[in-house]
Amino acid sequence: MLFKFYELEEVNNDIKNAEYYNCSNILSSDQNYIFTIGSIPCGVYINSFITDDIILDDNFFKFLKKQITISQNRGDISGKIEINKLQPCYQRYIKDVNEFNESGSRTKKNKDVTFEFSNPIRSSIITKDKPLYIKNEKLYEKHLKKLIKKIHKQLKSSFQIPNEYDKGLFDGYYNQMIINHRVRSASHFDKKNKFPYSSLICLSNNKDLKEHIISFVDYDVGIPMINNKSLLIFDSVNIRHANNEMNEELLKDRYSIVFYRK
């Protein structure tokens, strides 16, 4: 497998966290890349990582769809709070909200509203101890075990991980994943992760959706995630990232899965 080195160079922009960003500087999907900042590797892109032995059939996508819940507390990824995006049960609380976080993507608690909330998105966090995984463990093994093990192998060959660690999903290093559906991510960091390098894949059973663009906001570079093929491993803790705008009808069929460690 051949790679092209691509050095990320920071650019000045006025994009704030939780704002949407469209990058026009899109890399070629014909290349594999190793991203560096200075001389230090910070990411790997493989254009055709998912091979035919990993089955992405109708049953796979039916499985993904059943894993999706509505999340109300994802913060910056869900964009600045907009009243018309909130579910009715949350709209009635917004008049009693006094403060938001710095980016405006999450409310702050007060004496009248004792919980935080953000714009709703279709997203589920999966860990081995959550009911959604426990209930469907055999289906996770059937549909994702081979893929997760392959990603773990690539992670080990690309970046240093501890020799000894608490086993995560299917004995790999990652112990959590997020399955997103119909989500266009606003600009954000993954600051709460305990390991900097997350892995991302983008999936759809809509043949009209050819690729999905994830951008490194502060470096003005867009990475073309070929549908059902590409893998991106990158320092999501320190590199701010977002999704380009895309056709709303195609977005309805788009899934992304992010693997990470907390």
Side-chain angles (χ1 to χ4, degrees):
M1 189 182 300
L2 298 177
F3 289 88
K4 179 178 180 179
F5 282 88
Y6 189 98
E7 183 169 358
L8 298 177
E9 297 183 1
E10 196 165 0
V11 298
N12 293 322
N13 65 48
D14 57 359
I15 304 298
K16 296 178 174 59
N17 288 343
E19 291 184 346
Y20 290 97
Y21 178 74
N22 277 310
C23 178
S24 59
N25 179 33
I26 311 299
L27 297 181
S28 170
S29 60
D30 294 332
Q31 300 263 11
N32 300 314
Y33 295 94
I34 295 174
F35 299 104
T36 62
I37 297 177
S39 60
I40 301 173
C42 61
V44 172
Y45 167 80
I46 301 174
N47 58 1
S48 294
F49 177 81
I50 301 175
T51 47
D52 291 341
D53 60 317
I54 295 172
I55 307 301
L56 305 178
D57 57 7
D58 287 343
N59 288 328
F60 173 83
F61 286 101
K62 287 177 182 176
F63 159 75
L64 284 187
K65 187 174 183 179
K66 288 180 179 179
Q67 307 315 300
I68 297 299
T69 57
I70 302 298
S71 174
Q72 295 279 173
N73 199 20
R74 290 292 304 280
D76 289 351
I77 190 175
S78 59
K80 292 184 177 182
I81 287 182
E82 298 179 38
I83 294 177
N84 64 334
K85 286 185 177 181
L86 297 175
Q87 293 180 313
C89 59
Y90 287 90
Q91 287 181 5
R92 61 187 176 136
Y93 289 113
I94 198 72
K95 63 181 176 57
D96 295 318
V97 170
N98 300 319
E99 289 184 276
F100 298 86
N101 66 351
E102 185 178 350
S103 64
S105 67
R106 182 185 283 117
T107 63
K108 287 188 175 182
K109 298 177 185 178
N110 60 48
K111 63 181 179 61
D112 297 311
V113 184
T114 58
F115 53 89
E116 300 175 343
F117 58 90
S118 304
N119 291 328
I121 59 174
R122 295 171 58 82
S123 177
S124 294
I125 296 174
I126 308 297
T127 66
K128 291 193 295 185
D129 59 354
K130 285 188 178 289
L132 199 57
Y133 180 87
I134 294 170
K135 179 182 177 181
N136 299 286
E137 185 172 359
K138 290 185 177 178
L139 289 173
Y140 277 93
E141 181 169 352
K142 175 183 177 182
H143 291 297
L144 288 173
K145 181 178 180 179
K146 184 181 287 188
L147 176 60
I148 290 173
K149 283 188 168 293
K150 185 173 183 178
I151 290 173
H152 174 75
K153 184 177 180 181
Q154 184 63 48
L155 177 69
K156 283 178 62 178
S157 69
S158 300
F159 298 100
Q160 186 174 0
I161 64 174
N163 292 326
E164 300 292 332
Y165 55 86
D166 293 333
K167 300 291 187 182
L169 296 163
F170 300 114
D171 295 329
Y173 189 61
Y174 292 130
N175 59 8
Q176 295 194 21
M177 62 179 162
I178 291 179
I179 304 175
N180 300 309
H181 184 215
R182 303 179 181 177
V183 175
R184 180 196 174 193
S185 300
S187 302
H188 68 286
F189 297 98
D190 297 334
K191 287 294 187 184
K192 292 184 178 180
N193 290 5
K194 291 184 178 179
F195 178 71
Y197 300 105
S198 299
S199 291
L200 168 71
I201 57 173
C202 296
L203 308 162
S204 178
N205 60 351
N206 187 334
K207 298 294 190 290
D208 292 329
L209 180 47
K210 305 302 182 185
E211 63 183 28
H212 325 233
I213 305 300
I214 180 171
S215 57
F216 294 164
V217 176
D218 298 306
Y219 301 94
D220 190 38
V221 60
I223 294 93
M225 302 296 294
I226 301 173
N227 187 42
N228 301 338
K229 286 292 184 183
S230 299
L231 172 71
L232 176 64
I233 305 176
F234 73 106
D235 182 353
S236 66
V237 173
N238 297 298
I239 296 177
R240 199 159 56 129
H241 47 289
N243 289 126
N244 270 19
E245 187 175 18
M246 62 183 296
N247 179 284
E248 286 294 329
E249 289 304 310
L250 296 179
L251 182 62
K252 288 179 181 179
D253 298 319
R254 178 188 183 272
Y255 293 88
S256 63
I257 306 180
V258 184
F259 303 92
Y260 59 101
R261 188 171 184 87
K262 277 197 173 178

